[in-house]
């Protein structure tokens, strides 16, 4: 007896329309589970959004710290890291940790990683040699731009208009800090001596995969006497090499990063 024809499949009922929150969470989850920093086009395709829609939502997610932008790629932001005790393998701290450790080893100084937030730079990771245990690591602290090298380097790396808008939100006269930021933008390096602690100095450089879009800053911290004359030039050279290394890690595809 011939087989009876298969019954036609019942139409699948469409799901409820996604809210703005659904779309934002879809993007946050897609960024978090990606094996490496991911491009906008790939994100939009994965979550089923038009590219322009995904871009608009990502702007807000970057502003709120849920996503970090590194050139044309995205990775988990500081807000995600603060919620998770163990960051994903492609998080900024995971990518940067080997760079921080090498920079600390080559300079014998403390190195921290900062991201720009409203009001300053947030310290999200630190490598501190045992000999410098007397210097506070400030992990998790929000450091003001007027007293620390990291926020100076990050704000100076913004496009001029974005830098102006950022400064407008600071209390007090910003003429002096604007002049200092212009100098840091010219040199690429922020140097701080004794503003927060008269015995401690620091040097910072922003990590900038695309012009005007700093992702983070690497800051070398130690006794002020170890940043004098030729020693400062050595620290700046090692810091520049480390920042370039981290840019390469942030912009590499998965296959390249695994080599």
């Amino acid at each position: 007896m011939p087989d009876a024809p298969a019954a036609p499949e019942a139409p699948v009922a469409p799901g409820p329309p996604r809210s703005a929150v659904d779309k934002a969470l879809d993007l946050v989850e897609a960024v978090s589970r990606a094996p490496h920093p991911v491009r906008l086009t790939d994100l939009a395709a994965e979550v089923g959004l038009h590219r322009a829609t995904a871009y608009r939502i990502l702007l807000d997610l970057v502003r709120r710290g849920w996503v970090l932008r590194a050139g044309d790629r995205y990775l988990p932001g500081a807000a995600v890291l603060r919620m998770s005790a163990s960051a994903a393998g492609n998080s900024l701290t995971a990518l940067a940790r080997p760079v921080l450790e090498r920079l600390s080893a080559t300079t014998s100084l403390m190195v921290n990683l900062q991201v720009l937030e409203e009001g300053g730079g947030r310290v999200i990771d630190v490598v501190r040699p045992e000999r410098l245990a007397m210097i506070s690591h400030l992990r998790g602290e929000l450091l003001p731009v007027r007293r620390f090298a990291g926020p100076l380097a990050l704000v100076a790396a913004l496009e001029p208009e974005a830098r102006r808008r950022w400064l407008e939100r600071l209390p007090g006269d910003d003429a002096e800090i604007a002049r200092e930021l212009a100098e840091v933008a010219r040199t690429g390096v922020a140097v701080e001596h004794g503003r927060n602690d008269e015995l401690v100095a620091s040097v910072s450089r922003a990590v900038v995969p695309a012009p005007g879009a700093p992702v983070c800053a690497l800051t070398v911290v130690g006794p002020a006497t170890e940043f004098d004359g030729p020693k400062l030039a050595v620290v700046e050279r090692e810091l520049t090499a480390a920042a370039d290394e981290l840019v390469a890690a942030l912009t590499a595809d998965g296959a390249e990063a695994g080599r």
Side-chain angles (χ1 to χ4, degrees):
M1 183 177 180
D3 292 335
E9 291 185 1
V12 177
R18 284 188 292 174
S19 68
V21 173
D22 287 327
K23 294 172 184 177
L25 290 176
D26 285 344
L27 285 167
V28 170
E29 290 169 359
V31 170
S32 298
R33 63 175 172 262
H36 52 81
V38 61
R39 288 188 173 94
L40 169 63
T41 301
D42 298 327
L43 278 173
E46 180 175 347
V47 301
L49 292 173
H50 291 297
R51 191 175 184 275
T53 301
Y55 179 72
R56 287 194 299 271
I57 296 171
L58 283 165
L59 285 178
D60 284 336
L61 292 172
V62 170
R63 178 176 59 83
R64 293 292 300 270
W66 289 97
V67 171
L68 271 173
R69 183 174 181 179
D72 65 343
R73 298 166 190 268
Y74 297 84
L75 62 159
V80 172
L81 304 185
R82 290 199 298 270
M83 289 183 64
S84 173
S86 55
N90 69 316
S91 72
L92 177 60
T93 50
L95 290 169
R97 185 71 184 189
V99 178
L100 267 65
E101 290 175 346
R102 281 192 289 273
L103 182 56
S104 180
T106 57
T107 61
S108 298
L109 296 166
M110 180 163 66
V111 179
N112 70 46
L113 180 70
Q114 297 180 38
V115 294
L116 188 62
E117 293 187 6
E118 189 80 17
R122 178 82 63 183
V123 179
I124 61 173
D125 199 11
V126 181
V127 174
R128 183 177 62 180
E130 186 63 33
R131 75 180 188 94
L132 299 182
M134 78 294 292
I135 300 178
S136 175
H137 57 66
L138 300 177
R139 189 195 306 268
E141 297 291 325
L142 184 66
L143 310 184
V145 69
R146 298 184 191 278
R147 289 167 50 199
F148 291 90
L152 275 173
L154 285 164
V155 177
L158 296 170
E159 294 286 1
E161 179 59 23
R163 190 189 314 159
R164 183 188 65 77
R165 291 195 302 270
W166 200 94
L167 285 175
E168 285 177 348
R169 298 193 292 271
L170 290 180
D173 179 24
D174 61 7
E176 181 180 351
I177 196 69
R179 287 192 294 270
E180 187 167 3
L181 287 167
E183 178 63 14
V184 175
R186 184 185 69 82
T187 64
V189 178
V191 182
E192 181 275 321
H193 281 274
R195 287 185 185 172
N196 188 63
D197 184 326
E198 64 180 10
L199 300 179
V200 176
S202 57
V203 183
S204 186
R205 189 175 189 92
V207 176
V208 189
V215 172
C216 57
L218 295 172
T219 305
V220 180
V221 184
T225 55
E226 298 187 30
F227 289 83
D228 293 337
K231 297 178 183 177
L232 178 59
V234 172
V235 170
E236 289 184 358
R237 184 175 66 246
E238 296 293 340
L239 180 60
T240 298
D244 290 343
E245 182 183 356
L246 186 49
V247 167
L250 286 166
T251 56
D253 288 325
E256 295 170 347
R259 289 175 187 170

